[in-house]
Each structure stands twice: as C-alpha cells, then as structure tokens.
C-alpha cells in the first residue's frame, strides 16, 4: 500500500476550504471536519489492514507522516468542537477569560505531556536513526515505562509513537486557534490580527505552497528584516487565511529532500506572473 501525503493533505484542505466558504459557525465547521476525518481515517485503516505495506520505508512513512496528519487534525477539530460548544457566552470578559484558560491548559498539557519527552526532541530534530523503533508495528518496548494509553490503542494500526506525533500536530493547531480567539487588545504580546474579520479571505492553493511562500519571505529578509520568527510569521498567515498549517518545520524538511524542483510553488508563481504581464502587452 502506498498513500501519497500531498494527496491526503489536499483532500483535507479542500474540505476545510469548502466548509469555510459556507460561513457556518466554528462549532458546526469543526463537527463536520471531525466526521470527515473520522471517515477518512477509517477508510485508510481498512485499506492498511487489508493490504499491508510493501516495504519498511513505506511503513515508516505512513506512521511517521501520513496517519499523524489525519489523526492530528481529527484530535484538533474534535477539541475545537468541545471548546466552542462549552463556551459560556459569545463575548465580554467571561468569553475572553474562558479562551485564556483554555490556552493556559494547552500550555500546561504541552509542558507535562509533550515537550519534556525524549521522543519530542527526536521528532523536532527531524532525526531518522530510531525510525525503525518508533514507526514500525510491533516494536514497542514496555521497559521504556510508557504511559497507560499504550494499552488503549489498536496495535494492528498504531506504533504508539504515531499517536504522539498526532498530538504534537494537534497541539500546534490548537495554539494557533486559541491565539486568534483571545482579545489582542488585552494581550499586546499576541498577534494583532482579528481572525473573525477575514472570513472572506481564503488560501486556495495547497498547504505546502503556503509554507514554501512563508519560508521564502523569511529567508529573503522581506518581513521585518527577519526580526520576526518563522513560527510567528507562519501564525500571521494562518490567521489571515484561516488556514491551519501542520508542523511547518517537518513540511519544510520534506521540501528540502523532495524529488524535482524544491521550489515548485515559487517557480509556478514566476510563470503565472510573466503570463499575466504578457496579457497587457
């Protein structure tokens, strides 16, 4: 079985854009995305259990890159639905304090369950030397003192660590989502963009294309002489276009090693602009 990551991401992004264009409530949008992703994950699970993997590289890629993207977004949208449907009021101080408390809980969960683990540092460093252990079925070492959640997963469709990657991805997305919900006037260190005012603006290309553009602007010192970090720059674009991105660092790492042009979107931008210029001649 060989599933292409870009195809999966495009399907998810297409559904996000489709729902966003319908101008529905965030709770309804999150609910519909939860159903969509749950169905997608079930379909891929059925295919995986039926056909298996053609080689270990295919298996590692699936559990390291493909499944976590789907599961991570599923966790994210389900959490957004729960947050939105339990918010006590639609505005005011209680509304703001509610999202601030959610943000504090997210940071606490991140410190306690994610960033202090060796695996988190391994994943963030884009290492591959232990991929055979982390992302292949049947390699779990219980001597590592794993959390009890290992006994609740389906070991025919999980290596345990793919779930950890999914939670890292979900955490990143929730960070962006909650930051846009907190009143920026009361939080000057937060990004000064009102996400609710940009509902008519949407990114209609792929997520990889947007990440490529963000890194190009960052690398060329085109914004604030690169005094703004890549994470904050990415956050601005995510808020502006209402397009939650996955782990941009890993996406960029994959771009550096992809076959063909490493700057496919920028190459196409140049062609499109020149064609547009030629129309006016």
């Amino acid at each position: 079985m060989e599933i292409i990551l870009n195809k999966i991401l495009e399907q998810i992004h297409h559904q996000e854009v489709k729902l966003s264009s319908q101008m529905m409530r965030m709770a309804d949008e999150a609910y519909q995305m939860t159903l969509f992703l749950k169905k997608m994950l079930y379909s891929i699970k059925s295919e995986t259990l039926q056909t298996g993997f053609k080689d270990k590289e295919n298996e590692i890629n699936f559990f390291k890159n493909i499944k976590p993207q789907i599961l991570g977004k599923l966790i994210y949208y389900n959490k957004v639905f729960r947050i939105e449907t339990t918010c006590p009021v639609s505005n005011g101080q209680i509304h703001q304090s509610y999202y601030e408390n959610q943000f504090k809980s997210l940071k606490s969960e991140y410190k306690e369950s994610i960033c202090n683990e060796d695996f988190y540092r391994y994943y963030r460093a884009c290492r591959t030397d232990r991929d055979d252990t982390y992302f292949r079925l049947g390699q779990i070492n219980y001597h590592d003192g794993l959390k009890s959640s290992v006994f609740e997963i389906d070991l025919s469709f999980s290596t345990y660590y793919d779930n950890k990657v999914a939670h890292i991805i979900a955490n990143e997305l929730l960070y962006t989502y909650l930051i846009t919900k907190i009143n920026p006037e009361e939080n000057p260190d937060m990004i000064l963009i009102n996400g609710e005012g940009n509902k008519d603006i949407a990114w209609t290309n792929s997520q990889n294309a947007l990440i490529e553009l963000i890194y190009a602007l960052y690398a060329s010192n085109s914004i604030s002489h690169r005094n703004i970090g890549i994470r904050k720059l990415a956050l601005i674009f995510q808020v502006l276009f209402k397009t939650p991105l996955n782990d941009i660092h890993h996406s960029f790492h994959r771009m550096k090693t992809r076959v063909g042009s490493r700057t496919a979107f920028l190459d196409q931008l140049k062609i499109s602009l020149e064609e547009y210029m030629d129309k006016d001649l």
Side-chain angles (χ1 to χ4, degrees):
M1 181 195 68
E2 186 172 0
I3 299 175
I4 307 301
L5 177 59
N6 286 344
K7 181 179 178 181
I8 292 292
L9 294 178
E10 286 174 6
Q11 289 176 352
I12 295 174
H13 180 61
H14 175 76
Q15 183 69 7
E16 288 172 332
V17 171
K18 177 183 174 182
L19 293 176
S20 179
S21 66
Q22 295 176 17
M23 305 291 285
M24 61 178 62
R25 294 185 312 149
M26 188 62 205
D28 296 330
E29 188 175 325
Y31 176 71
Q32 292 299 324
M33 282 303 302
T34 299
L35 296 181
F36 173 81
L37 291 162
K38 183 175 180 293
K39 182 178 179 180
M40 174 182 280
L41 190 63
Y42 178 80
S43 175
I44 290 178
K45 178 180 179 179
S46 298
E47 183 181 351
T48 302
L49 295 179
Q50 182 177 359
T51 63
F53 303 99
K54 67 177 184 180
D55 52 41
K56 76 171 187 177
E57 286 76 19
N58 189 250
E59 181 180 0
I60 289 172
N61 180 55
F62 178 80
F63 287 113
K64 185 175 185 178
N65 299 313
I66 296 174
K67 183 191 169 188
Q69 296 292 352
I70 305 170
L71 181 57
K73 286 235 170 174
L74 178 57
I75 294 170
Y76 162 69
Y77 278 111
N78 183 60
K79 180 66 174 178
V80 169
F81 176 75
R82 291 172 57 193
I83 290 173
E84 289 292 329
T85 53
T86 54
C87 185
V89 291
S90 59
N91 52 48
Q93 278 191 325
I94 296 178
H95 177 269
Q96 179 177 322
S97 63
Y98 170 78
Y99 285 104
E100 287 175 345
N101 287 333
Q102 292 290 334
F103 188 73
K104 290 177 183 177
S105 297
L106 180 68
K107 290 198 294 184
S108 177
E109 178 185 343
Y110 165 76
K111 290 179 181 179
E112 293 176 7
S113 305
I114 297 179
C115 73
N116 290 328
E117 295 190 353
D118 290 339
F119 174 76
Y120 179 78
R121 290 185 285 275
Y122 174 90
Y123 178 75
R124 279 294 186 223
C126 297
R127 287 168 53 189
T128 60
D129 52 289
R130 297 197 65 190
D131 281 1
D132 273 359
T133 300
Y134 287 142
F135 301 111
R136 297 195 68 193
L137 294 172
Q139 301 298 313
I140 295 176
N141 184 0
Y142 294 97
H143 282 106
D144 288 341
L146 306 178
K147 293 183 179 180
S148 297
S149 59
V150 69
F151 303 113
E152 301 172 3
I153 62 177
D154 182 356
L155 295 181
S156 67
F157 189 60
S158 177
T159 69
Y160 175 67
Y161 290 96
D162 59 297
N163 284 33
K164 286 185 171 292
V165 175
H167 278 90
I168 292 172
I169 291 171
N171 184 280
E172 290 277 339
L173 294 171
L174 284 167
Y175 173 87
T176 302
Y177 159 73
L178 288 172
I179 248 182
T180 65
K181 301 295 288 190
I182 298 173
N183 187 345
E185 294 180 358
E186 299 296 327
N187 298 273
D189 59 325
M190 299 300 184
I191 196 69
L192 298 179
I193 293 180
N194 184 351
E196 293 299 316
N198 301 322
K199 288 186 176 180
D200 57 337
I201 301 175
W203 179 260
T204 53
N205 210 308
S206 70
Q207 291 186 357
N208 276 347
L210 182 56
I211 292 172
E212 189 178 319
L213 177 62
I214 291 169
Y215 268 95
L217 292 171
Y218 176 75
S220 62
N221 296 328
S222 297
I223 298 180
S224 300
H225 302 289
R226 211 196 289 184
N227 290 324
I228 179 174
I230 188 68
R231 178 170 177 169
K232 190 171 184 180
L233 182 59
L235 175 60
I236 291 172
F237 279 86
Q238 290 178 80
V239 174
L240 175 62
F241 294 120
K242 285 177 62 69
T243 300
L245 299 174
N246 300 314
D247 190 328
I248 64 169
H249 300 291
H250 271 72
S251 296
F252 180 66
H253 178 72
R254 288 193 295 270
M255 287 177 191
K256 292 194 295 184
T257 58
R258 65 188 177 188
V259 178
S261 174
R262 297 189 297 176
T263 57
F265 177 63
L266 297 180
D267 296 343
Q268 184 57 50
L269 273 186
K270 181 177 182 294
I271 295 172
S272 298
L273 179 57
E274 289 178 340
E275 290 178 349
Y276 186 78
M277 289 175 171
D278 291 340
K279 290 180 182 179
D280 294 334
L281 293 179

